[in-house]
Amino acid sequence: MTCVIIDYSSGNLHSAEKSFQRMARETGAGTVIVTNDPERVLGADRIVLPGVGAFADCRAGLMAVDGMFEAIRTRVIDQGAPFLGICVGQQLMASRGLEHGVTEGFGWIPGEVVKIKPSDPALKIPHMGWNALSDIAPHPVLAGIEPGDHAYFVHSYHVIAEHPEHVLARVDHGGPVTAAVGRDNMIGTQFHPEKSQKTGLRLIANFLAWRP
């Protein structure tokens, strides 16, 4: 079994690679590689798409890698390989992002990526640091993660999904903020599992074992 982490020059690849490799060793889940080669993606059993920065920049960076998005779409949409998007990698799953204009996303989770607007003006944006998860839906990748467990966030935008059933977890930051989305063989987290210690390592282990 091979899990690939996509390298398109946008993501905290070192931390993600170490965390995924650690859990792959501990659970016997196969190998984890970081790659910018679409052929490796086409042969992968699982796909992880990280992302750090602005929505439009991440999309442009991904599309600049010749054949990469097509390879991801083939494995995820056509062939049903498990997919995990992290931070902006999760946001790209939406229909469009509204950061610095309108940028089309993948359209896998219908909805928009909008700026967080806390009801309390004292709450800062970006939403940065540890926050307690809530409204956790039953899902194999979230198994063992309970309301009140903390995860690490760094973001100013979040996904507003058209279909409530696609929202798998939330946090509160002056109102509900989307923390995880998913459907079928794909899931995305706004938080960084590679920085979320116990909660994040459990999620990574669950993802490496997931057979949707």
Side-chain angles (χ1 to χ4, degrees):
M1 299 286 286
T2 301
C3 174
V4 299
I5 301 174
I6 307 295
D7 178 5
Y8 61 110
S9 302
S10 180
N12 188 11
L13 294 176
H14 180 72
S15 294
E17 179 183 22
K18 295 303 180 187
S19 295
F20 276 82
Q21 287 179 344
R22 171 184 169 181
M23 298 318 295
R25 285 194 306 271
E26 291 186 9
T27 62
T31 59
V32 175
I33 61 170
V34 174
T35 186
N36 62 1
D37 181 356
E39 291 300 320
R40 301 296 295 271
V41 175
L42 287 170
D45 299 291
R46 301 171 196 284
I47 296 169
V48 178
L49 182 69
V52 172
F55 186 102
D57 292 343
C58 286
R59 185 187 188 280
L62 182 65
M63 297 303 175
V65 182
D66 189 39
M68 180 59 80
F69 176 68
E70 291 77 11
I72 296 171
R73 184 174 57 196
T74 295
R75 284 298 289 130
V76 176
I77 301 300
D78 299 340
Q79 299 173 357
F83 174 90
L84 171 63
I86 297 173
C87 197
V88 184
Q90 175 243 26
Q91 294 179 6
L92 289 170
M93 298 164 68
S95 304
R96 63 194 66 85
L98 305 184
E99 185 175 2
H100 311 308
V102 179
T103 304
E104 293 301 307
F106 299 169
W108 297 352
I109 300 290
E112 295 181 334
V113 180
V114 305
K115 192 164 188 176
I116 303 168
K117 296 181 179 179
S119 59
D120 181 353
L123 291 172
K124 294 182 179 180
I125 298 296
H127 170 221
M128 183 181 300
W130 295 90
N131 205 336
L133 298 170
S134 65
D135 303 323
I136 301 173
H139 192 284
V141 178
L142 302 177
I145 298 173
E146 304 290 341
D149 287 350
H150 284 71
Y152 188 82
F153 293 80
V154 184
H155 65 122
S156 300
Y157 289 75
H158 71 135
V159 176
I160 300 295
E162 289 182 13
H163 305 295
E165 64 270 22
H166 290 163
V167 178
L168 302 181
R170 295 183 177 88
V171 294
D172 182 81
H173 190 68
V177 172
T178 301
V181 299
R183 68 174 181 88
D184 306 328
N185 57 307
M186 60 190 78
I187 186 169
T189 63
Q190 183 60 66
F191 58 91
H192 288 267
E194 74 279 7
K195 296 182 179 180
S196 295
Q197 298 181 4
K198 180 182 176 182
T199 298
L201 292 176
R202 180 178 289 276
L203 184 144
I204 291 168
N206 289 343
F207 175 72
L208 292 172
W210 186 31
R211 298 180 182 275

